[in-house]
Each structure stands twice: as C-alpha cells, then as structure tokens.
Amino acid sequence: MSVNDRRASHMNAPRPRVASNRVGDAERHALRSGASPLQSDNADHRGSTSSQKNRMPREQQNMTSEKRSERMTIHSKERSQTRTRNPVKESSSAGNRGEWERSRSKRGVQGDIAASQARNQEKEPEEVPWNPHASLMPHSTAPLATRVSVAPLASTLPQSLQPTPLRELSVDTQEKALLDDLLFVFMGFEGQYIHYHSNYDPAVEKDRLTGPVFQLPSGLDPTLRDLTLSMLKMATHYSALEAFVEVQSRAEFGAVSHALCATIRKILKDYLILIAQLESQLLNNPSFTLQLLHLHTMPTSQCLAQLHSMGQELLRRNGLLDQDLDESIDDFDDVDNILEQLKEGGDLVPGAMSSKKICKGGNVLRLLTERLATYSGDPTSKALLERLLRDASRPYMTMLNEWLHHGGIKDPHAEFLVKEQKWIKREKLEEDYTDEYWEKRYTIRDNEVPPQLDSVRDKVLLAGKYLNVVRECGGVDVSKEVKDVPQTLDDPRFLDNVNAAYTYANASLLNLLLTKNSLTTRFRSLKHYFFLDRSDYFSFFLEIGGPELRRPAQAVNVSKLQSLLDLVLRQPGSIAAQDPFKEDVKVRMNKVGLTKWLMQVVSVSGIDQDNPEAGMQVAQSHVEDDKNINGFEALELDYSVPFPLSLVISRKTVLRYQLVFRHLLSLRHHENLLVGCWLDQSKSTCWRHKSSDRRVEVWKRRAWSLRSKMLIFVQQLLYFCTAEVIEPNWQNLMDRVNGADAQGSEVTVNGIKQANRTVDELMQDHVDFLDTCLKECMLTQAKLLKIHSKILMCCNMYTSWAASAVGRGLYLADPDLAGKAPSSDPRGYDPTRIAKLEESLKRYEDHFTRHLRILMDSLNYYAATESVVLLKLAHVLNSITKEDGPV
C-alpha cells in the first residue's frame, strides 16, 4: 500500500465526535514544539482511545451502532499513523531512497495538517454538558410563595437526551407516552414530547400569570392530538392559578385577597390529589387510556376554567395584565389618599404600588358577587363562586363586626369601606370651625363598598362613629369578644346585625349626651350667655366694664374684662351664679367688626345654606383687621365644651352663637346710648327750660321725636330678634331634642325613655336652629346688613352729637339762657345758632327716615321671598315711618 493510499484512507475515515478537538490541539502543539505531528497524533489517539473505552459502557445503552463506527475509525487511524512512522526508523544505508522517502513524508505531513484544519472548520460545535441546578429565590411579602427557581426549559435539553420522535412510534406507544407526559404537564411541568410554546418565558411574571401555552410535536396521531389539546387547557389554567395565588398573596392586596387565595390553594391541593389518583390508575390499570383520563378530568377542568377566568379579571383590575389607558391616567386622582400618605410620611414615587389603584377588599367581593349573578344558572359555577365569596368575606366581616360592635377599625391594608384619617385628632376640636373631626375623620370609600352593604352604608358609618365616641368615653368594653354575629356575607342575619348595631350605638351615644353629659342643660347655659336670656348679670357687666369697653379694641385689657365677668357671674343673687358651667365662659376681643365680617362672608359665598361654615372659614382667613372699632363692637364671648359634647356644640356652632351675640350686643349697646341720651337731656337745664322763642321749642320737640324714633327702632328690633326669632326656634329645638314634637317617638334605653332619633339628626337640628336665627335676624343678606348698619351708625352719631354740640348750641340759641351757659363761653345770644341746629337735625332726620323706608321695602320683599316672619317687624316699624302732624 502506497503512501498516497494510506493518506487517503486516513483522510476518509470517520472521526470520533469527542476526540476530534483534542486531535487538532495535539497537532497544533506538535508544530509549535518542533516534534513530529504524527508522533503527537499517535500519542493523543492512544489517550483518546482509552478515554473512549471508559465511556463506552454508558453510551452502549443507547447508541450501539454509533459505537461500532467509532471503534473502527479509531483502529484504522492507529494503523495509518503507525505505518507512517516506518520510514523514520529505516537505516541510513538506504541512501538516496531514504532521502526521497523523507521528502515524501514531509510533504504528506503538510497535507495532513491542511486537511485537519479544514475538517476542524467544518465540524459541529462541541455539546455543552447538561448540568441543571436549582436555586432559592429571595423572600417576598407572600409567605407561602414558592422560592425554588424556574426549571430549565426543554428547548435547552442536549440532543443526546432527546426522546425517540413520535413518528417512529406506534399509536399505542404514542398514547402511553402522552399519558406519562400529561401527568407532568397537569402539574405545570414540560414533558418529553409536550413542551411550552416558544413565546412563553417562565421568568416573566406576566407570562406566568397568563399561563403557558403547550405545544405538541409533529408526527402525533390526529385523534390523540385532538384529545390531548382539549386537556392541555386545564394545565394552562392550573399554572396560571398557581402564579395568581403567589402574586395575590402579597401584603399590598389585602386580607380579602389573601382569604380568596387560601381557598383557591385548597382547590389546587384537591386537584393535585386527583393527579396522584390518576397516576395510580396509570400504573396499576393496564386498560387506562387517554379517553378515560379525559373523562376523569372534565369536572375539574370546568372548575379551573372558572377560577382562571375570575383570576384574569381580578389581575386586569389590579393592572398586572393588560391595563386600560383610562385607568392608568387616573392613578393619581385619589387626592385624599395622596394627602393622607404624605401626612404619614409616605413617598409617591412613580410606579409605586401605593400610588396604583388596587382591586382589594370590597372590590374583590363586588367582583365575586357580579360573577355569581352572571353564572347563577350554572350549578357547578354557582357552588364554586358561593364558596369563594363565603371564604373571602370572612376577614371583611371580622373588620365589619369590630367596627359595628366596638367602634374600632383594624384595617392594616386599607380595604374596609370606612376610611380613617388618623391625622385628625380629638385635640383639633378646640380650633375646628368645620367639624372636620366628625365629618372627615371617618368617611366612606365610595368605590370600595360591597354590593351587600350598598343599602346600609350610611348606617354602617354612623354606627361605628357613634360607638367610637362612646368607646373613647369609656362606655364600650373593647376586651369583650363579639359573639353570635354573622361571619360571612351570605348569612341571613347579615342585615339584621347591621340594623341592631346601629340602633344600639345611636341609643348609647344619645344616652351619653343627654343623660350623663347634660346636653339640654348645656343648651340652656348657651342661651343665657349668648342670647342674653335673663341677662341681669350682663347689664351689670356692661355698666362696670363700660369705661374699658369705650376704648379702642386694640387697647382693651382682656384680662380685666375677664375678671369683671367672673365677678358678675359669681355675684350672689344672680341667675348666672347657679349655672354649673359658668367657668367655661371666656371674654374675647375680635379684631373685625360684625358688619364687615358678615359682609365678607356674604360676598364670598352668599352663605350657602347647605354648607354655611365654608364661607365663614374663608372670611376668617381673608378679612383684614378693623382698627376703628371700640370695645363694644369687638367684644364677644367664647365657650369651651368638653368631649363628647364638643361634637354637638362644635366650633362652627359656637361661631354662630357668637355672631348672634354680637348682633344682640350691638342693639343693647345702642339702646343704652339712646337711653343715656334721654337721661342727659332730662337733666340738662337747656332742655328742661321752656324757651320764649317758639322756634327753639319746635326744634326741641323734633329732636326728642327723632331720639324717640331711634330708641323705638332699636328696641323693636331687639325684641323681634329675641322674642319673635330666637325664642320660638329655641322651643322647637328643645321639643325635638326631648322628643316632644309631633314626629318624635320614644325608646327605652337602660330604663330611660329617649327620643328615637339619631345623633346626626340632633346635630343637624342644632345647626339648623342657629342658621334660622341668623337668617331671620337679617344677618345673611347683604342689602339688609348695609341698611341696618347705616341706621345704627346714624343713631350712634346722633347720640354723640346730642351729647356734645347740642347743649352748648341751645344756650346760645335760646334768648332766655344767653350768658348762663355752665361753660366759660363768653359769647351771648346768637340768633343764627338755631338755624344751624335746625339744619343739622334735618340731616339726621332725613338720613334716618330715608334708610328706614328702604329697610321697610326690603323687609316686605324678603318676607315674600324668603322668611314670612319679617312681616311682623315690617308691621311694627311701619308706625315709625308715619309723618308727624303739625306741632
């Protein structure tokens, strides 16, 4: 055999798959080291042959034919390599023949090297060793979530481990292979033939929540393919539900979702038990077929399909699957939640779960209820959804019972229908002019109310609010366990439980307010101090505090006035001395006049009858200080009320009391001014002397008549506000509080008869009473306020003019008293003085009469459009406007 033939046989022999790379490496190493490449090849192939022989027993189980070819290849190559070494060992006596052989051998080695390099480029890459491993994933907020990493995909399996293609198997063998695969696929794993779709990535949460799509290999019998495809949906649903349970069990999704996931987890456990039973049938029953497997899994498949549909809808509402654009835009619409989170020190980072709208609590129960109504015609789905709703509602009912029977909220995940604003404290009641504590501390989450509570949502809110107040006053035993109450929403006693808790909480708070805290007595005390009922003490206070109150408001000593008020209230024989709440009355000086303050309120809001305190609060923050008012115009009383009476007698109601008080004080002050003017005129010689000049006497009568008209106007207005407005409305309020009105009925609580009314109705009646008083006292209409202010200003200016300038002018105008003035005025009788006095008096008469007529017209208009009670005042004031006859 020639050298060329040996080279050809060496190049054409098949190469071993494992040792091929090593041969190439040895040849390259031999070239670098200067040794013969054939020697290196020979040494390497001996080592490669031994390693191949060590691996043969393991490969012999699967690839016997391939092993024979490899062995033949190795032997043939060894022979070719051994024979090529013979020329090197020949003796030197060969002469030219040896040189010729060495040159031939060198050319052959170079050709072998070139051929080996070409073969290395054409060979397939070496297979990566199959070394799958599992790892632990980090903890999540779902305590039962799996922490084992995702199994390797079947697409990464090496070719040597791939099973025999289905096209090479018979139909019976295919069915057995599919039965084995389906048991794994039903548990969410890939089988030997059934694999995940190429688009599915188990590392992506969205793909896991949607569920894997399984695909079948080619070559499968069509009958088996259709039957298998119908069962693969159940495997998809199971995998998706496992991911759903892990995600929805996180802390941010709330206790209701956790309870729902616990129930689904129990159903999935029963599903796995079914898979174990099917495996037992497969192993022990030779007649177990794919058709029997399909029949056994049909009921469970329907159950999992219903669970999967419900889970996908819930995930969409949580934004974990395809989210609508409108929902994503509205992520920051809940301003109250954002403000509350900021007040509690939270962050509003984009994408944070706290800033997203999460479907939890009542929304989950609403979803289950809606699906139950939709699938009520399917007995299997109905039973399943009833079970889910019953189990998911248990933690919600626990929170509801705690709220209804203890007045507390245990809602760590913010999923209950009642929302608590913890930053609103009881201490704010002393400065709260909007009832923020009562109206905003506990509110309803309108979008998270279960359908079962829609009809009684207000009762649920009020029952807990009432009981919360009683609990803070020590009237509820929180340690007492709530027993014999419904635990699920489908309990027939559910609505009865809410109504009974509402009735009990309302009666308990009414008993606490009316009996233990003497609310009616508090009302009478407020009437004494703010409406000047039986106000002998107050007349004395105005008398002894007059010098201080005549000073500018900024210069008034409030401590001195407080001391004087305490002295008057404790004076023996005074009605106020018997008042048990006289310590709660304090003196304050307002920086703004009453008319200016009310005009600002009216201009801002027009005093909205539904929410009048809103305008009052705005006015308080925008009205500038009035530097021209004196102590009488700035004086007001304050009244401190302890909790829980501060809920009924709140700051906004005390503010209304103060407005009415300042109005009555203004009328009482002007009455005192006019009466004092009458006393001064009665004591003065120039007024008591009958002058010989008839013109002076006519002027005196006109001045007396104008003062009398002013005094009648002020007294009639004061009488109207107290006797015609405050007193009748007060009696109506007391009748409603005590349950004596025609619509009231009585209930017995702890042996005490009480009005069957709610605390909110009582609070509203109190506010309505004060608003009615403000309206009928003409303090809510800008036109009436302006006219009323101008008339009182005219009276004030007239009394000042009559006390200062008129007395001296009368001495100069009366010829009988000329030169007898008590002052040191040396001037005598001045005939022009009476003309000046007549001119000044004419201006006051015209001003008072003109504005009084305007007031009369306004009263008639508002009596026809708003309050008929103003007709009484218009009728009384009509006598003042009549022209006097000739004197």
Side-chain angles (χ1 to χ4, degrees), residues 454-475:
D454 275 336
S455 60
V456 292
R457 57 193 297 177
D458 294 330
K459 286 188 176 181
V460 171
L461 175 64
L462 294 178
K465 287 170 65 174
Y466 296 162
L467 215 56
N468 180 267
V469 174
V470 179
R471 186 188 66 175
E472 292 192 10
C473 297

Side-chain angles (χ1 to χ4, degrees), residues 826-844:
R827 292 177 295 176
Y829 172 68
D830 184 3
T832 62
R833 176 64 64 175
I834 188 63
K836 294 180 180 180
L837 291 176
E838 289 177 343
E839 183 181 357
S840 299
L841 183 60
K842 179 65 174 176
R843 288 200 301 269
Y844 283 111

Side-chain angles (χ1 to χ4, degrees), residues 562-612:
Q562 183 65 51
S563 300
L564 293 176
L565 180 63
D566 293 339
L567 177 64
V568 169
L569 294 178
R570 289 166 177 78
Q571 184 181 10
S574 173
I575 297 176
Q578 306 299 324
D579 186 7
F581 309 119
K582 55 181 175 291
E583 300 290 341
D584 297 330
V585 183
K586 305 297 179 182
V587 174
R588 283 182 50 186
M589 302 301 294
N590 203 312
K591 298 179 180 180
V592 183
L594 176 63
T595 302
K596 183 177 181 180
W597 196 92
L598 287 174
M599 286 298 298
Q600 185 69 23
V601 174
V602 173
S603 63
V604 169
S605 64
I607 297 196
D608 184 6
Q609 297 300 323
D610 296 331
N611 190 22

